[in-house]
Amino acid sequence: MTTARGRIPDSQRSERRARMLDDAVALFLAEGYASTSLDLVAQRSSASKRTVYAYFTDKAGLFTAAVGRLHDRIAETAEQSAPLLELCTSLVETLHSDEAVALHRIVVGESTRFPELARSFYVAGPARSTQMLLAALRAADSGPDRPGTSDASDASDAERLYALLLGEPHRRRLLGLTPAPTSEDSARHAAETLRALGHVPAD
């Protein structure tokens, strides 16, 4: 279905974008970043190269969009005004997933040859989710100002929390030593991390 002027409805555009991202991720994982091209993505998606370019601009844009989509899932939890524990659980479950770990491996391996890819990965991924944690920490500690706190210390707390939510379990995931955590495993890891930092998760 199209609009009166022949424009593709937003719902179909979203579905088409999602399919192209799925195909691009599959190619990145199978062929590697350097060997994946917009031509291959277009061929796999049964789309023109011009269409892929219109959605993502270039290959780095495709990869960054794939990373951003993962963090969109975490953002959906944050936008629901979910408790801090629920947000942390979503972050663990998402970033320890097979797709997230595979993309993380790729960007680490390619960061020297493609430094811009590493920068865009960081902005679309870790930096964005750290900001979500920062907002959630401030909301959890809302009320009278905490003595001795500052924007800088709040930001450090958020970065520390992000680092521990990945931690050694994420290193083992990157090395292929352990499988992706279950929802229960993710919730447990999130709760233990919050307790270690002095935040008592709500029951």
Side-chain angles (χ1 to χ4, degrees), residues 143-199:
D145 291 338
R146 292 168 291 160
T149 63
S150 65
D151 288 346
S153 62
D154 284 348
S156 294
D157 287 346
E159 289 181 352
R160 189 176 300 111
L161 175 56
Y162 182 88
L164 290 177
L165 287 171
L166 271 65
E168 283 304 305
H170 191 260
R171 192 194 307 274
R172 290 192 290 271
R173 290 286 293 125
L174 288 172
L175 293 172
L177 300 178
T178 55
T182 64
S183 297
E184 292 76 13
D185 292 335
S186 298
R188 187 182 308 111
H189 178 49
E192 290 171 353
T193 299
L194 288 172
R195 290 192 188 96
L197 293 177
H199 296 277

Short mmCIF file of all heavy atoms in Angstrom, two decimals, residues 143-199:
data_model
loop_
_atom_site.label_atom_id
_atom_site.label_comp_id
_atom_site.label_asym_id
_atom_site.label_seq_id
_atom_site.Cartn_x
_atom_site.Cartn_y
_atom_site.Cartn_z
N GLY A 143 15.25 13.36 45.07
CA GLY A 143 14.90 13.80 46.43
C GLY A 143 15.90 14.84 46.86
O GLY A 143 16.46 15.57 46.02
N PRO A 144 16.18 14.97 48.14
CA PRO A 144 17.17 15.93 48.60
C PRO A 144 18.52 15.65 47.95
O PRO A 144 18.90 14.49 47.74
CB PRO A 144 17.22 15.68 50.12
CG PRO A 144 15.91 15.05 50.44
CD PRO A 144 15.53 14.24 49.25
N ASP A 145 19.24 16.71 47.64
CA ASP A 145 20.55 16.53 47.01
C ASP A 145 21.45 15.69 47.89
O ASP A 145 21.49 15.87 49.11
CB ASP A 145 21.21 17.89 46.76
CG ASP A 145 20.49 18.67 45.68
OD1 ASP A 145 19.78 18.04 44.87
OD2 ASP A 145 20.64 19.90 45.67
N ARG A 146 22.18 14.81 47.25
CA ARG A 146 23.11 13.98 48.01
C ARG A 146 24.36 14.78 48.32
O ARG A 146 24.92 15.42 47.43
CB ARG A 146 23.48 12.72 47.19
CG ARG A 146 22.35 11.76 47.01
CD ARG A 146 22.72 10.73 45.95
NE ARG A 146 22.77 11.37 44.64
CZ ARG A 146 23.41 10.87 43.59
NH1 ARG A 146 24.08 9.75 43.71
NH2 ARG A 146 23.42 11.50 42.44
N PRO A 147 24.85 14.77 49.55
CA PRO A 147 26.03 15.55 49.91
C PRO A 147 27.24 15.14 49.07
O PRO A 147 27.50 13.96 48.87
CB PRO A 147 26.26 15.18 51.39
CG PRO A 147 24.93 14.69 51.87
CD PRO A 147 24.30 14.02 50.68
N GLY A 148 27.94 16.15 48.57
CA GLY A 148 29.20 15.87 47.89
C GLY A 148 29.08 15.33 46.49
O GLY A 148 30.08 14.95 45.90
N THR A 149 27.88 15.30 45.93
CA THR A 149 27.75 14.79 44.57
C THR A 149 27.85 15.93 43.57
O THR A 149 27.62 17.08 43.89
CB THR A 149 26.42 14.05 44.36
OG1 THR A 149 25.35 14.98 44.55
CG2 THR A 149 26.27 12.91 45.35
N SER A 150 28.17 15.59 42.35
CA SER A 150 28.30 16.57 41.28
C SER A 150 27.98 15.87 39.97
O SER A 150 27.87 14.65 39.91
CB SER A 150 29.71 17.14 41.22
OG SER A 150 30.63 16.13 40.87
N ASP A 151 27.84 16.68 38.91
CA ASP A 151 27.60 16.07 37.61
C ASP A 151 28.73 15.12 37.24
O ASP A 151 28.50 14.05 36.67
CB ASP A 151 27.48 17.17 36.54
CG ASP A 151 26.18 17.94 36.66
OD1 ASP A 151 25.27 17.46 37.38
OD2 ASP A 151 26.06 19.01 36.05
N ALA A 152 29.96 15.51 37.58
CA ALA A 152 31.11 14.67 37.24
C ALA A 152 31.07 13.34 38.00
O ALA A 152 31.32 12.28 37.43
CB ALA A 152 32.41 15.41 37.55
N SER A 153 30.73 13.39 39.28
CA SER A 153 30.68 12.14 40.05
C SER A 153 29.52 11.28 39.62
O SER A 153 29.62 10.05 39.58
CB SER A 153 30.59 12.43 41.56
OG SER A 153 29.40 13.13 41.87
N ASP A 154 28.39 11.91 39.25
CA ASP A 154 27.26 11.14 38.73
C ASP A 154 27.66 10.42 37.45
O ASP A 154 27.33 9.24 37.24
CB ASP A 154 26.08 12.07 38.43
CG ASP A 154 25.35 12.51 39.70
OD1 ASP A 154 25.62 11.92 40.77
OD2 ASP A 154 24.54 13.43 39.61
N ALA A 155 28.36 11.12 36.56
CA ALA A 155 28.79 10.52 35.31
C ALA A 155 29.76 9.36 35.57
O ALA A 155 29.70 8.33 34.91
CB ALA A 155 29.45 11.57 34.41
N SER A 156 30.64 9.53 36.55
CA SER A 156 31.57 8.45 36.89
C SER A 156 30.83 7.24 37.42
O SER A 156 31.18 6.10 37.12
CB SER A 156 32.58 8.94 37.93
OG SER A 156 33.41 9.94 37.40
N ASP A 157 29.80 7.48 38.23
CA ASP A 157 29.00 6.37 38.75
C ASP A 157 28.34 5.61 37.61
O ASP A 157 28.27 4.37 37.63
CB ASP A 157 27.92 6.90 39.71
CG ASP A 157 28.50 7.34 41.04
OD1 ASP A 157 29.67 7.01 41.32
OD2 ASP A 157 27.79 8.04 41.79
N ALA A 158 27.82 6.34 36.62
CA ALA A 158 27.15 5.70 35.49
C ALA A 158 28.15 4.89 34.67
O ALA A 158 27.84 3.76 34.24
CB ALA A 158 26.48 6.75 34.61
N GLU A 159 29.34 5.42 34.46
CA GLU A 159 30.35 4.69 33.71
C GLU A 159 30.80 3.44 34.46
O GLU A 159 31.02 2.38 33.86
CB GLU A 159 31.55 5.59 33.43
CG GLU A 159 31.26 6.68 32.41
CD GLU A 159 32.47 7.54 32.13
OE1 GLU A 159 33.50 7.39 32.83
OE2 GLU A 159 32.40 8.36 31.19
N ARG A 160 30.92 3.57 35.78
CA ARG A 160 31.31 2.41 36.60
C ARG A 160 30.24 1.33 36.54
O ARG A 160 30.55 0.14 36.41
CB ARG A 160 31.54 2.86 38.04
CG ARG A 160 32.16 1.79 38.94
CD ARG A 160 32.45 2.34 40.33
NE ARG A 160 33.38 3.46 40.27
CZ ARG A 160 33.07 4.72 40.54
NH1 ARG A 160 31.85 5.04 40.90
NH2 ARG A 160 33.98 5.67 40.45
N LEU A 161 28.99 1.75 36.61
CA LEU A 161 27.89 0.79 36.55
C LEU A 161 27.88 0.09 35.20
O LEU A 161 27.74 -1.14 35.12
CB LEU A 161 26.56 1.51 36.79
CG LEU A 161 25.29 0.66 36.64
CD1 LEU A 161 25.32 -0.56 37.55
CD2 LEU A 161 24.05 1.52 36.95
N TYR A 162 28.05 0.86 34.12
CA TYR A 162 28.07 0.26 32.79
C TYR A 162 29.19 -0.77 32.67
O TYR A 162 29.00 -1.88 32.15
CB TYR A 162 28.25 1.36 31.73
CG TYR A 162 28.23 0.84 30.31
CD1 TYR A 162 27.04 0.72 29.61
CD2 TYR A 162 29.42 0.47 29.66
CE1 TYR A 162 27.01 0.24 28.30
CE2 TYR A 162 29.40 -0.01 28.36
CZ TYR A 162 28.20 -0.12 27.69
OH TYR A 162 28.18 -0.60 26.41
N ALA A 163 30.37 -0.40 33.17
CA ALA A 163 31.52 -1.30 33.08
C ALA A 163 31.28 -2.60 33.83
O ALA A 163 31.62 -3.69 33.35
CB ALA A 163 32.77 -0.61 33.62
N LEU A 164 30.66 -2.51 35.00
CA LEU A 164 30.43 -3.71 35.80
C LEU A 164 29.28 -4.56 35.26
O LEU A 164 29.27 -5.78 35.44
CB LEU A 164 30.16 -3.33 37.25
CG LEU A 164 31.37 -2.78 38.02
CD1 LEU A 164 30.96 -2.37 39.43
CD2 LEU A 164 32.48 -3.81 38.07
N LEU A 165 28.34 -3.94 34.59
CA LEU A 165 27.25 -4.72 33.99
C LEU A 165 27.78 -5.58 32.85
O LEU A 165 27.20 -6.62 32.52
CB LEU A 165 26.14 -3.79 33.49
CG LEU A 165 25.30 -3.14 34.58
CD1 LEU A 165 24.39 -2.07 33.98
CD2 LEU A 165 24.48 -4.17 35.36
N LEU A 166 28.87 -5.15 32.22
CA LEU A 166 29.54 -6.01 31.25
C LEU A 166 30.52 -6.91 31.99
O LEU A 166 30.30 -8.09 32.11
CB LEU A 166 30.24 -5.16 30.18
CG LEU A 166 29.38 -4.80 28.96
CD1 LEU A 166 28.22 -3.88 29.36
CD2 LEU A 166 30.22 -4.11 27.89
N GLY A 167 31.58 -6.34 32.52
CA GLY A 167 32.49 -7.06 33.39
C GLY A 167 33.10 -8.33 32.80
O GLY A 167 33.17 -8.52 31.59
N GLU A 168 33.52 -9.21 33.70
CA GLU A 168 34.14 -10.47 33.28
C GLU A 168 33.19 -11.38 32.50
O GLU A 168 33.63 -12.05 31.56
CB GLU A 168 34.69 -11.21 34.51
CG GLU A 168 35.99 -10.64 35.03
CD GLU A 168 37.07 -10.59 33.95
OE1 GLU A 168 37.36 -11.65 33.35
OE2 GLU A 168 37.61 -9.50 33.69
N PRO A 169 31.90 -11.41 32.84
CA PRO A 169 30.99 -12.23 32.01
C PRO A 169 31.02 -11.82 30.54
O PRO A 169 30.97 -12.67 29.65
CB PRO A 169 29.62 -11.99 32.65
CG PRO A 169 29.94 -11.72 34.09
CD PRO A 169 31.19 -10.89 34.04
N HIS A 170 31.10 -10.51 30.29
CA HIS A 170 31.15 -10.05 28.90
C HIS A 170 32.48 -10.41 28.26
O HIS A 170 32.53 -10.77 27.07
CB HIS A 170 30.93 -8.53 28.84
CG HIS A 170 30.71 -8.01 27.45
ND1 HIS A 170 31.71 -7.40 26.72
CD2 HIS A 170 29.61 -8.03 26.66
CE1 HIS A 170 31.23 -7.04 25.54
NE2 HIS A 170 29.97 -7.41 25.47
N ARG A 171 33.58 -10.34 29.00
CA ARG A 171 34.87 -10.77 28.46
C ARG A 171 34.82 -12.24 28.04
O ARG A 171 35.32 -12.64 27.00
CB ARG A 171 35.98 -10.55 29.49
CG ARG A 171 37.38 -10.70 28.90
CD ARG A 171 38.43 -10.80 30.00
NE ARG A 171 38.35 -9.72 30.94
CZ ARG A 171 38.93 -8.54 30.81
NH1 ARG A 171 39.65 -8.29 29.71
NH2 ARG A 171 38.83 -7.62 31.74
N ARG A 172 34.21 -13.06 28.91
CA ARG A 172 34.09 -14.49 28.58
C ARG A 172 33.20 -14.69 27.35
O ARG A 172 33.46 -15.58 26.53
CB ARG A 172 33.54 -15.27 29.78
CG ARG A 172 34.52 -15.37 30.94
CD ARG A 172 34.05 -16.38 31.98
NE ARG A 172 32.88 -15.93 32.72
CZ ARG A 172 32.94 -15.22 33.84
NH1 ARG A 172 34.11 -14.86 34.36
NH2 ARG A 172 31.84 -14.86 34.47
N ARG A 173 32.19 -13.85 27.20
CA ARG A 173 31.34 -13.93 26.00
C ARG A 173 32.15 -13.58 24.76
O ARG A 173 32.05 -14.24 23.72
CB ARG A 173 30.16 -12.96 26.13
CG ARG A 173 29.13 -13.34 27.18
CD ARG A 173 28.27 -14.51 26.71
NE ARG A 173 27.44 -14.15 25.59
CZ ARG A 173 27.40 -14.79 24.42
NH1 ARG A 173 28.18 -15.83 24.19
NH2 ARG A 173 26.59 -14.40 23.46
N LEU A 174 32.97 -12.52 24.83
CA LEU A 174 33.78 -12.11 23.69
C LEU A 174 34.75 -13.22 23.28
O LEU A 174 35.05 -13.38 22.10
CB LEU A 174 34.57 -10.84 24.03
CG LEU A 174 33.76 -9.54 24.12
CD1 LEU A 174 34.64 -8.42 24.64
CD2 LEU A 174 33.15 -9.16 22.78
N LEU A 175 35.22 -13.97 24.26
CA LEU A 175 36.16 -15.04 23.98
C LEU A 175 35.48 -16.35 23.59
O LEU A 175 36.13 -17.35 23.31
CB LEU A 175 37.05 -15.29 25.21
CG LEU A 175 38.01 -14.14 25.57
CD1 LEU A 175 38.68 -14.41 26.91
CD2 LEU A 175 39.05 -13.95 24.48
N GLY A 176 34.16 -16.34 23.59
CA GLY A 176 33.41 -17.53 23.20
C GLY A 176 33.45 -18.63 24.23
O GLY A 176 33.25 -19.81 23.90
N LEU A 177 33.66 -18.26 25.50
CA LEU A 177 33.78 -19.26 26.56
C LEU A 177 32.45 -19.62 27.20
O LEU A 177 32.33 -20.68 27.82
CB LEU A 177 34.74 -18.76 27.64
CG LEU A 177 36.17 -18.45 27.17
CD1 LEU A 177 37.00 -17.92 28.32
CD2 LEU A 177 36.82 -19.69 26.57
N THR A 178 31.47 -18.75 27.07
CA THR A 178 30.17 -18.98 27.70
C THR A 178 29.04 -18.60 26.74
O THR A 178 29.23 -17.76 25.86
CB THR A 178 30.01 -18.15 29.00
OG1 THR A 178 30.24 -16.76 28.70
CG2 THR A 178 31.00 -18.61 30.06
N PRO A 179 27.87 -19.19 26.92
CA PRO A 179 26.72 -18.85 26.07
C PRO A 179 26.06 -17.55 26.54
O PRO A 179 26.38 -17.04 27.63
CB PRO A 179 25.78 -20.04 26.26
CG PRO A 179 26.07 -20.51 27.65
CD PRO A 179 27.56 -20.32 27.84
N ALA A 180 25.16 -17.04 25.74
CA ALA A 180 24.40 -15.85 26.12
C ALA A 180 23.60 -16.13 27.39
O ALA A 180 23.08 -17.24 27.56
CB ALA A 180 23.47 -15.44 24.99
N PRO A 181 23.50 -15.16 28.28
CA PRO A 181 22.75 -15.38 29.52
C PRO A 181 21.25 -15.46 29.28
O PRO A 181 20.73 -14.88 28.32
CB PRO A 181 23.10 -14.15 30.36
CG PRO A 181 23.36 -13.08 29.35
CD PRO A 181 24.03 -13.79 28.20
N THR A 182 20.57 -16.18 30.14
CA THR A 182 19.12 -16.20 30.11
C THR A 182 18.59 -14.92 30.75
O THR A 182 19.36 -14.14 31.34
CB THR A 182 18.58 -17.40 30.90
OG1 THR A 182 18.95 -17.24 32.28
CG2 THR A 182 19.14 -18.72 30.37
N SER A 183 17.30 -14.71 30.67
CA SER A 183 16.70 -13.55 31.32
C SER A 183 16.96 -13.58 32.82
O SER A 183 17.24 -12.55 33.45
CB SER A 183 15.20 -13.50 31.04
OG SER A 183 14.94 -13.35 29.66
N GLU A 184 16.88 -14.78 33.39
CA GLU A 184 17.11 -14.93 34.83
C GLU A 184 18.57 -14.63 35.18
O GLU A 184 18.85 -13.95 36.17
CB GLU A 184 16.75 -16.34 35.28
CG GLU A 184 15.26 -16.68 35.23
CD GLU A 184 14.76 -16.95 33.80
OE1 GLU A 184 15.62 -17.11 32.89
OE2 GLU A 184 13.53 -16.97 33.60
N ASP A 185 19.49 -15.11 34.35
CA ASP A 185 20.91 -14.83 34.56
C ASP A 185 21.18 -13.32 34.49
O ASP A 185 21.94 -12.77 35.29
CB ASP A 185 21.77 -15.53 33.50
CG ASP A 185 21.76 -17.03 33.63
OD1 ASP A 185 21.53 -17.55 34.74
OD2 ASP A 185 22.00 -17.70 32.60
N SER A 186 20.55 -12.66 33.52
CA SER A 186 20.75 -11.23 33.33
C SER A 186 20.25 -10.45 34.53
O SER A 186 20.91 -9.51 35.01
CB SER A 186 20.03 -10.76 32.06
OG SER A 186 20.55 -11.42 30.92
N ALA A 187 19.07 -10.82 35.04
CA ALA A 187 18.51 -10.14 36.20
C ALA A 187 19.39 -10.34 37.43
O ALA A 187 19.60 -9.41 38.22
CB ALA A 187 17.09 -10.64 36.47
N ARG A 188 19.93 -11.54 37.57
CA ARG A 188 20.79 -11.84 38.72
C ARG A 188 22.07 -11.01 38.66
O ARG A 188 22.50 -10.41 39.65
CB ARG A 188 21.12 -13.33 38.75
CG ARG A 188 21.88 -13.76 40.01
CD ARG A 188 22.23 -15.25 39.97
NE ARG A 188 21.04 -16.06 39.68
CZ ARG A 188 20.85 -16.73 38.54
NH1 ARG A 188 21.77 -16.68 37.59
NH2 ARG A 188 19.76 -17.44 38.36
N HIS A 189 22.67 -10.97 37.48
CA HIS A 189 23.91 -10.21 37.32
C HIS A 189 23.66 -8.72 37.56
O HIS A 189 24.48 -8.04 38.21
CB HIS A 189 24.48 -10.43 35.92
CG HIS A 189 25.72 -9.67 35.62
ND1 HIS A 189 26.81 -9.66 36.45
CD2 HIS A 189 26.07 -8.86 34.57
CE1 HIS A 189 27.77 -8.90 35.94
NE2 HIS A 189 27.33 -8.40 34.80
N ALA A 190 22.55 -8.21 37.06
CA ALA A 190 22.22 -6.80 37.26
C ALA A 190 22.02 -6.49 38.74
O ALA A 190 22.52 -5.48 39.25
CB ALA A 190 20.97 -6.44 36.46
N ALA A 191 21.29 -7.36 39.43
CA ALA A 191 21.03 -7.14 40.87
C ALA A 191 22.32 -7.18 41.68
O ALA A 191 22.54 -6.34 42.57
CB ALA A 191 20.04 -8.18 41.38
N GLU A 192 23.19 -8.15 41.38
CA GLU A 192 24.45 -8.27 42.11
C GLU A 192 25.33 -7.04 41.87
O GLU A 192 26.01 -6.57 42.79
CB GLU A 192 25.18 -9.54 41.69
CG GLU A 192 24.49 -10.82 42.18
CD GLU A 192 25.11 -12.07 41.58
OE1 GLU A 192 25.98 -11.96 40.68
OE2 GLU A 192 24.72 -13.19 42.01
N THR A 193 25.31 -6.54 40.64
CA THR A 193 26.11 -5.36 40.32
C THR A 193 25.60 -4.14 41.07
O THR A 193 26.39 -3.36 41.63
CB THR A 193 26.07 -5.09 38.80
OG1 THR A 193 26.63 -6.21 38.11
CG2 THR A 193 26.86 -3.85 38.45
N LEU A 194 24.29 -3.95 41.11
CA LEU A 194 23.73 -2.81 41.82
C LEU A 194 24.04 -2.88 43.31
O LEU A 194 24.37 -1.87 43.95
CB LEU A 194 22.22 -2.74 41.58
CG LEU A 194 21.80 -2.30 40.17
CD1 LEU A 194 20.30 -2.46 39.99
CD2 LEU A 194 22.21 -0.85 39.93
N ARG A 195 23.94 -4.07 43.88
CA ARG A 195 24.26 -4.22 45.30
C ARG A 195 25.73 -3.89 45.58
O ARG A 195 26.07 -3.26 46.58
CB ARG A 195 23.95 -5.65 45.78
CG ARG A 195 22.46 -5.97 45.84
CD ARG A 195 22.21 -7.28 46.58
NE ARG A 195 20.81 -7.66 46.46
CZ ARG A 195 20.34 -8.51 45.57
NH1 ARG A 195 21.16 -9.09 44.70
NH2 ARG A 195 19.05 -8.81 45.53
N ALA A 196 26.60 -4.32 44.67
CA ALA A 196 28.04 -4.07 44.84
C ALA A 196 28.34 -2.57 44.83
O ALA A 196 29.31 -2.13 45.48
CB ALA A 196 28.82 -4.76 43.73
N LEU A 197 27.51 -1.79 44.14
CA LEU A 197 27.71 -0.36 44.08
C LEU A 197 26.86 0.40 45.10
O LEU A 197 26.79 1.63 45.07
CB LEU A 197 27.38 0.15 42.67
CG LEU A 197 28.35 -0.33 41.57
CD1 LEU A 197 27.89 0.17 40.21
CD2 LEU A 197 29.76 0.16 41.85
N GLY A 198 26.20 -0.34 45.99
CA GLY A 198 25.43 0.29 47.05
C GLY A 198 24.02 0.66 46.68
O GLY A 198 23.36 1.40 47.42
N HIS A 199 23.53 0.13 45.57
CA HIS A 199 22.13 0.38 45.18
C HIS A 199 21.34 -0.90 45.45
O HIS A 199 21.63 -1.94 44.87
CB HIS A 199 22.03 0.74 43.70
CG HIS A 199 22.70 2.01 43.34
ND1 HIS A 199 22.10 3.24 43.50
CD2 HIS A 199 23.96 2.26 42.86
CE1 HIS A 199 22.93 4.19 43.09
NE2 HIS A 199 24.07 3.62 42.72
#
